[in-house]
Amino acid sequence: MKAAVFHEHGGPEVIRTEELPIPEPGPGQVRVRVRASSLNHLDLWVRRGLPIEIPIPHIGGSDIAGEVDATGEGAEGVPRGARVVADPSLDWAWYEGVRRGADLPNPHFRVIGEHTQGGFAEYALVPADNLLQLPDHVAFETAAAASLVSVTAWRALMGRAQLRPGERVLITGGSGGVSTAAIQMARNAGARIFVLTSGEESCRRVGELGADVALDRSSGDPRELIREATGSRGVDVVLDSVGEVLMGTLIRALAPGGRLVTYGATTGPKPKVDLRHVFWKQLSILGTTMGSPREFREAMEQVFLGHVQPVIHSTVGLEGVAGAHELLEEGGVFGKIVVRPAG
């Protein structure tokens, strides 16, 4: 099979399209003929060399949509040819168990395309339990663009932040895949939405998705832009992936009793925060990543019903994965880049 693979960490140039053996499904696994996958910022971190063990040579791609091609022992009940999309979170039971105080052997929960080989290939292996049947009216490209970002946004807003109708929410990194999904989810939840993004065109597009106020961070100091837009009341919820350079500003933007949910740190993981704002306003700072199997199905149901429509920036073949990494790294993407394997 053809795959976009890297043998060492580095820049986008380390990714090459190669011929590899078609993998055989093990116990409980299904082999999916990949019809579409998509890039996430996670792919950039993995390629650069996160401080974790990954299989090398490595195939990235946490989003997998396609057709069941073969099944392993214990997964024979999954029909061949079924149209499916994969839940990218692995071993979520470990997280839930440890949270409840269980002593479990696994070191952490894992992610397809990070801790395992992913979907930037013609075939991929997925646990049968992670598959969700794809309705006929939903395109493979739509499902692939939606899966990781939708479950991330859904858990962050509805699970961790407990967003309620009428609340004010500030979403940073407005052009990203999680943010474009979150804007639509917050709109459907009846919130008033402020979005921090970059450039007039991006401001226009987040407005079309449902943002009430779009703030162009390239036009001035983000602190002043947010303060002027939100006024003395501030916002009830912040959803942030930017991290270090904005954290102090975002803490200040929260109203008393507000909640900040962080799911990324694209500008760095070590912010300086004035804790007096945190305890005086009785704020909550909440971390989140990925989501549970139930939350994945809830999020994808929003996509299947058309309530959330993933934004697709462009579509490339396997030979275009390196260039897609470069474009995402430069910040030139609005929404998701979909990868469509040839054949």
Side-chain angles (χ1 to χ4, degrees), residues 149-174:
V149 297
S150 293
V151 69
T152 300
W154 184 258
R155 177 175 174 82
L157 284 179
M158 313 312 295
R160 300 293 279 152
Q162 296 285 300
L163 183 66
R164 296 183 290 269
E167 289 194 309
R168 294 151 64 98
V169 57
L170 171 64
I171 298 171
T172 67

Side-chain angles (χ1 to χ4, degrees), residues 64-75:
I64 298 172
E67 298 152 338
V68 173
D69 178 72
T71 58
E73 181 183 353

Side-chain angles (χ1 to χ4, degrees), residues 6 54 60 72-73 75 90 138 142 171-172 177 185 193 206 209 222 231 238 248 251 256 267 272 274:
F6 60 85
I54 66 169
E73 181 183 353
L90 299 171
V138 179
T142 298
I171 298 171
T172 67
M185 292 173 181
I193 306 162
V206 300
L209 290 174
V238 169
I251 292 291
T267 63
K272 291 183 179 180
D274 187 338

